[in-house]
């Protein structure tokens, strides 16, 4: 999976057969705020979760803490406890 970091639009993107899937973000004080998940009618849950996992790997490589603000990301963190170490101190999900 090749993820493009579109810094101008502040989003991570992948291209699939059904179109573009994007995660909009904001970076403030070494924190990556995941603000919006745009699937463009792609209902492949496994692909979406794999995309989120790869974005979290990018955040970990850049030594950023992750703040999920969209319901999709919050439910992902609830289901995948191993990624909770990426949350900043004080944020419990």
């Amino acid at each position: 999976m090749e993820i493009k970091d579109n810094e101008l639009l502040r989003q991570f993107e992948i291209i699939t057969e059904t179109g573009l899937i994007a995660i909009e973000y904001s970076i403030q004080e070494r924190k990556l705020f995941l603000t919006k998940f745009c699937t463009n009618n792609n209902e492949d849950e496994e692909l979406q979760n794999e995309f989120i996992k790869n974005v979290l790997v990018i955040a970990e490589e850049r030594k950023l803490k992750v703040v999920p603000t969209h319901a999709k990301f919050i439910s992902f963190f609830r289901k995948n406890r191993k990624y909770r170490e990426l949350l900043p101190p004080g944020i419990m999900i």
Side-chain angles (χ1 to χ4, degrees):
M1 177 180 300
E2 183 179 335
I3 297 177
K4 179 184 175 197
D5 183 3
N6 188 336
E7 293 180 1
L8 180 65
L9 296 176
R10 293 190 322 262
Q11 65 186 18
F12 295 105
E13 306 170 338
I14 59 170
I15 304 291
T16 64
E17 305 94 36
T18 58
L20 179 77
I21 299 177
I23 294 176
E24 294 183 11
Y25 68 86
S26 173
I27 296 178
Q28 300 172 9
E29 300 174 7
R30 307 289 305 159
K31 292 183 183 116
L32 178 70
F33 289 81
L34 302 176
T35 57
K36 190 173 181 184
F37 193 72
C38 306
T39 60
N40 294 330
N41 298 325
N42 186 322
E43 300 300 325
D44 186 357
E45 193 73 27
E46 186 175 320
L47 175 68
Q48 294 174 9
N49 286 335
E50 193 65 32
F51 182 34
I52 294 171
K53 288 176 186 177
N54 287 326
V55 167
L56 294 177
V57 168
I58 292 171
E60 191 171 29
E61 289 172 354
R62 295 181 183 176
K63 296 181 174 46
L64 297 171
K65 293 293 184 180
V66 178
V67 180
T69 59
H70 189 273
K72 175 78 174 172
F73 304 119
I74 293 170
S75 68
F76 178 84
F77 274 93
R78 284 187 180 139
K79 292 176 186 172
N80 300 284
R81 294 189 177 269
K82 67 180 183 176
Y83 293 105
R84 288 194 179 183
E85 65 206 26
L86 293 174
L87 295 172
I91 296 197
M92 300 297 291
I93 294 181

